[in-house]
Amino acid sequence: MLHCILNPGIAINELIFGQRIPKVTLIERNSTKPLAEKTIIPCPHCGTMHSGLKWTPQNNTAFRNWFGLYCDNCEKTIPCLTNLTSYILLGITFPIWYWFKEKWKKKWLAEQKLKFSKPLSLTQPNFKWRHVGLRWGLFMYIFIEILLPLIEGEGITQKKILIGIPLWTITGLLFGLTMKIIGGKKFKN
Ligand SMILES: [Zn+2]
């Protein structure tokens, strides 16, 4: 959890992709089900115990959750954690987005209603190992080649940026392949 709050790379996931982690997550005990199927996300407004698999790529609900996770029972949003970097960026840009927020949220809520009116799949998603690997590679590329040198004051060099592309593509694919070998059935080609 601390990783989600402090890691600046997560801010990109939150602000651009709208991938969020709820403040409260419960895990079913004494169950042989896989972790993803044991995860329960309670709605603080209506008390509904949602399956953690409600907000997944297969339901088209894993991303674009800028206002939180939509509760399809009471139509309110489940509060989520906010990364420290996101907080700072949101604070700085406050005068820009403040005026659009209500309008945007209204539109967003209508979008959620539509998404959740379709039947949702609550089984564990199959991850494509290549996608998982490349996403991880992209994240590492941005974090190690761009953000870290900026934070440490080294500066970004063109060489680093260019070499980083093939380097992290290959490393990402290797990472994905390793995950497939370890994770087995969860991944598909
Ligand atoms: Zn609710």
Side-chain angles (χ1 to χ4, degrees):
M1 238 184 202
L2 209 58
H3 159 84
C4 300
I5 296 170
L6 295 178
N7 190 333
I10 301 283
I12 295 165
N13 269 15
E14 276 183 12
L15 297 179
I16 298 181
F17 301 115
Q19 190 178 27
R20 307 295 303 274
I21 290 149
K23 278 186 180 155
V24 180
T25 304
L26 307 172
I27 313 275
E28 253 178 69
R29 268 172 128 190
N30 305 328
S31 158
T32 49
K33 286 187 274 183
L35 183 67
E37 282 173 29
K38 282 196 283 193
T39 307
I40 306 283
I41 298 168
C43 172
H45 308 290
C46 67
T48 304
M49 295 290 176
H50 295 284
S51 159
L53 291 166
K54 219 168 221 181
W55 299 273
T56 47
Q58 58 187 350
N59 289 327
N60 194 20
T61 49
F63 303 101
R64 304 171 64 81
N65 297 321
W66 294 293
F67 294 97
L69 298 179
Y70 177 77
C71 171
D72 56 348
N73 184 52
C74 68
E75 303 186 355
K76 288 185 179 147
T77 49
I78 299 166
C80 292
L81 296 173
T82 304
N83 174 278
L84 198 64
T85 311
S86 300
Y87 243 138
I88 295 165
L89 288 174
L90 284 173
I92 296 167
T93 55
F94 173 79
I96 306 165
W97 55 261
Y98 179 75
W99 309 102
F100 303 103
K101 195 190 162 210
E102 283 310 309
K103 209 177 149 194
W104 189 21
K105 187 166 182 181
K106 229 175 164 178
K107 205 179 141 212
W108 179 84
L109 276 172
E111 191 185 290
Q112 302 309 307
K113 214 171 178 169
L114 188 73
K115 269 190 195 174
F116 282 88
S117 63
K118 290 169 195 156
L120 299 172
S121 161
L122 298 181
T123 50
Q124 183 151 29
N126 282 314
F127 296 105
K128 288 193 170 99
W129 67 267
R130 260 175 276 141
H131 292 183
V132 172
L134 287 174
R135 259 194 59 176
W136 178 84
L138 178 69
F139 169 75
M140 292 302 281
Y141 173 67
I142 293 169
F143 188 67
I144 295 201
E145 309 296 345
I146 299 169
L147 286 172
L148 214 60
L150 279 179
I151 294 164
E152 297 192 333
E154 274 175 39
I156 304 163
T157 60
Q158 205 176 12
K159 199 173 133 200
K160 263 192 195 161
I161 295 277
L162 287 177
I163 292 175
I165 295 170
L167 179 75
W168 287 109
T169 305
I170 294 164
T171 320
L173 287 172
L174 283 173
F175 174 79
L177 199 61
T178 317
M179 291 293 283
K180 183 184 156 62
I181 293 162
I182 298 169
K185 267 189 283 175
K186 246 177 22 190
F187 294 88
K188 59 183 177 191
N189 297 319

